[in-house]
Amino acid sequence: MVSVPLSRLTELQSLINRQEQRLNQLQELLSGQSSGLSQQQQQISQLRQELQTAKNSLTSSNQIINEQNKSLMSLSEELKQEQRRTRRIERQRLLWQAVAGGAVVYMVLKE
């Protein structure tokens, strides 16, 4: 049998109690950090979903812009063709007016 003085036993018991308190504090801290980490993982997941939604929206917007750009180019080409046609008709009208005027002058001078 080993004999331990009562003061030493009390001191060891006190040390064990302090270590248990410290262990409990560390477990609470670890639990809090684990909870915080879980929340951060959820936030990261939510941010990834929002980023994917933003990417999809950007892709959709780019497609719409490309379609509108094609439409604008087509309308621009149609406008150019219409302007050329209008100028051609105006030139033809002036030519016929000149021919008609020349014919009238010829008729007047012939008589």
Side-chain angles (χ1 to χ4, degrees), residues 6 13-14 46 55 71 91 99 103:
L6 185 58
Q13 186 64 38
S14 175
Q46 182 180 0
K55 285 181 179 179
S71 177
R91 283 192 307 267
V99 168

Side-chain angles (χ1 to χ4, degrees), residues 4-109:
V4 179
L6 185 58
S7 63
R8 181 73 176 142
L9 187 58
T10 306
E11 183 182 323
L12 287 173
Q13 186 64 38
S14 175
L15 180 61
I16 289 172
N17 288 339
R18 284 195 307 267
Q19 291 299 326
E20 284 179 352
Q21 287 176 353
R22 181 70 179 143
L23 180 59
N24 288 336
Q25 289 173 351
L26 289 173
Q27 285 176 336
E28 288 175 12
L29 179 63
L30 180 60
S31 176
Q33 288 177 344
S34 177
S35 174
L37 181 60
S38 176
Q39 289 175 354
Q40 289 176 346
Q41 286 174 334
Q42 289 174 351
Q43 288 175 347
I44 288 171
S45 177
Q46 182 180 0
L47 288 173
R48 283 183 177 155
Q49 289 175 350
E50 290 174 4
L51 179 60
Q52 186 61 42
T53 301
K55 285 181 179 179
N56 292 342
S57 178
L58 180 60
T59 300
S60 176
S61 295
N62 281 338
Q63 288 175 346
I64 290 170
I65 288 172
N66 286 338
E67 289 172 9
Q68 289 177 343
N69 192 30
K70 287 178 185 177
S71 177
L72 183 60
M73 296 297 280
S74 174
L75 288 173
S76 177
E77 185 60 34
E78 286 178 26
L79 179 62
K80 287 179 184 177
Q81 289 176 358
E82 185 62 28
Q83 287 172 341
R84 282 185 287 228
R85 187 178 74 79
T86 302
R87 284 193 302 265
R88 186 184 74 239
I89 290 171
E90 184 64 30
R91 283 192 307 267
Q92 288 174 350
R93 185 178 299 133
L94 290 173
L95 175 65
W96 284 112
Q97 286 174 354
V99 168
V104 167
V105 168
Y106 177 75
M107 295 289 254
V108 168
L109 291 178

